[in-house]
Amino acid sequence: YEIASCLVGSEMCIRDRLRQSRIETVAQSLREDIGDGDITAMLIPQARISRGHVITRDAATIAGRAWVEEVFRQVDPGVTLSWEVQDGDEASPGQSLFSMEGPARSLLTAERSALNWLQLLSGVATTCAGHARRVAHTGVQLLDTRKTLPGLRLAQKYAVTCGGCHNHRIGLWDAFLIKENHIAACGSIADAVREARRLAPGRPVEVETENLEELDQALAAGADIIMLDEFSLADMRQAVVRTAGAAKLEASGGISSETLVPIAETGVDYISIGALTKDVRAVDLSMRLDIHD
């Protein structure tokens, strides 16, 4: 799985940025948990070795292996992990996800941070997989948004791809999204699109519209993607007819479990859903250790 800017099918891989972010955010998670040292783990003799495994208590789509591995690498490179699942795999309640072996102190010190990453990212992937299954009979792509947990955007966007959904723009730098306030400041949709083309000719240009009249303006201006903000189903269908493939259409706003499938069936290209990353329910995980001399 890779993070890519998928709005217009580009493959702008940011693997190196993701790897660096993973190293930094894992280090921060360990600093906030360990502080000056794990005093409880010091109760255990330093030489004591342990084996253990992590299970899921929930049905889940797995995401976050590399973050778990990075936690243990930073705590103790001598810990050995053996995975029984890949990112993107479906796991059943009670299933073992991976086993580990190493100094008992290290396993216990790394436990919470490792599980925090795995439960969070698997929670995102699980939500995305459920949404993707519901619209699999259509040609729509479900997109995440910038409504991510602060500091964890790249990790969450990676998890989105593990669940079968897709990434919208990564941030404010890789694509234009011209909204109501931008249009007002520029003077018109046409002026805003023209200025975007001048500033960054190679970047995708998306325009948010609130009605069919603004859709027509965005089409005339040559936008690559047009966001249909809280359009009715009837207007979405009309937008698909009017656009006729001249631009990609993205439905946004008011997306719920009740409206998701009907919106997908209108024929729009994308549906963006902030809840994929902002309304996260962590997967319930448990680590079981077998401590011995």
Side-chain angles (χ1 to χ4, degrees), residues 62-108:
I62 302 304
R65 278 184 40 156
W67 282 262
V68 172
E69 292 166 359
E70 183 62 25
V71 168
F72 282 102
R73 185 190 71 80
Q74 291 191 26
V75 170
D76 185 345
V79 172
T80 301
L81 302 182
S82 298
W83 287 91
E84 298 164 46
V85 293
Q86 302 290 330
D87 281 353
D89 284 354
E90 300 291 332
S92 303
Q95 181 176 339
S96 177
L97 306 181
F98 68 94
S99 59
M100 70 212 79
E101 182 173 4
R105 284 188 180 185
S106 299
L107 299 186
L108 291 169

Side-chain angles (χ1 to χ4, degrees), residues 27-155:
Q28 175 61 27
S29 71
L30 290 172
R31 282 194 297 271
E32 69 183 9
D33 198 32
I34 299 172
D36 294 331
D38 182 354
I39 59 175
T40 312
M42 292 178 187
L43 300 173
I44 302 169
Q46 188 171 6
R48 183 158 293 172
I49 300 299
S50 177
R51 295 187 182 93
H53 63 280
V54 168
I55 67 166
T56 175
R57 292 193 175 100
D58 295 329
T61 301
I62 302 304
R65 278 184 40 156
W67 282 262
V68 172
E69 292 166 359
E70 183 62 25
V71 168
F72 282 102
R73 185 190 71 80
Q74 291 191 26
V75 170
D76 185 345
V79 172
T80 301
L81 302 182
S82 298
W83 287 91
E84 298 164 46
V85 293
Q86 302 290 330
D87 281 353
D89 284 354
E90 300 291 332
S92 303
Q95 181 176 339
S96 177
L97 306 181
F98 68 94
S99 59
M100 70 212 79
E101 182 173 4
R105 284 188 180 185
S106 299
L107 299 186
L108 291 169
T109 296
E111 173 186 7
R112 178 40 50 200
S113 293
L115 296 192
N116 281 351
W117 283 107
L118 192 60
Q119 71 186 23
L120 169 69
L121 299 185
S122 294
V124 172
T126 301
T127 296
C128 289
H131 282 67
R133 280 192 293 269
R134 296 188 61 207
V135 298
H137 63 291
T138 73
V140 77
Q141 290 189 5
L142 303 185
L143 304 179
D144 56 24
T145 71
R146 288 167 45 239
K147 295 177 182 178
T148 52
L149 300 180
L152 303 184
R153 177 167 298 171
L154 293 185

Side-chain angles (χ1 to χ4, degrees), residues 11-12 59 66 70 105 125 168 192 214 237 243-244:
E11 293 298 330
M12 187 198 65
E70 183 62 25
R105 284 188 180 185
H168 204 283
E214 290 181 353
R237 295 188 191 98
T243 303

Side-chain angles (χ1 to χ4, degrees), residues 195-267:
E195 182 65 5
R197 298 295 189 199
R198 186 190 70 80
L199 288 172
R203 301 294 171 89
V205 176
E206 179 171 6
V207 176
E208 180 185 63
T209 62
E210 297 181 351
N211 52 57
L212 291 171
E213 180 182 353
E214 290 181 353
L215 168 78
D216 290 339
Q217 293 173 27
L219 281 170
D224 298 306
I225 311 102
I226 301 173
M227 179 183 289
L228 312 178
D229 184 31
E230 297 195 8
F231 273 42
S232 68
L233 291 176
D235 281 352
M236 285 186 199
R237 295 188 191 98
Q238 182 63 28
V240 171
V241 172
R242 290 194 188 191
T243 303
K248 298 292 186 180
L249 295 179
E250 173 191 335
S252 181
I255 312 300
S256 67
S257 58
E258 291 77 22
T259 62
L260 176 63
V261 173
I263 289 173
E265 291 174 344
T266 64

Side-chain angles (χ1 to χ4, degrees), residues 151-162:
L152 303 184
R153 177 167 298 171
L154 293 185
Q156 286 194 282
K157 283 184 173 283
Y158 169 81
V160 164
T161 69
C162 293

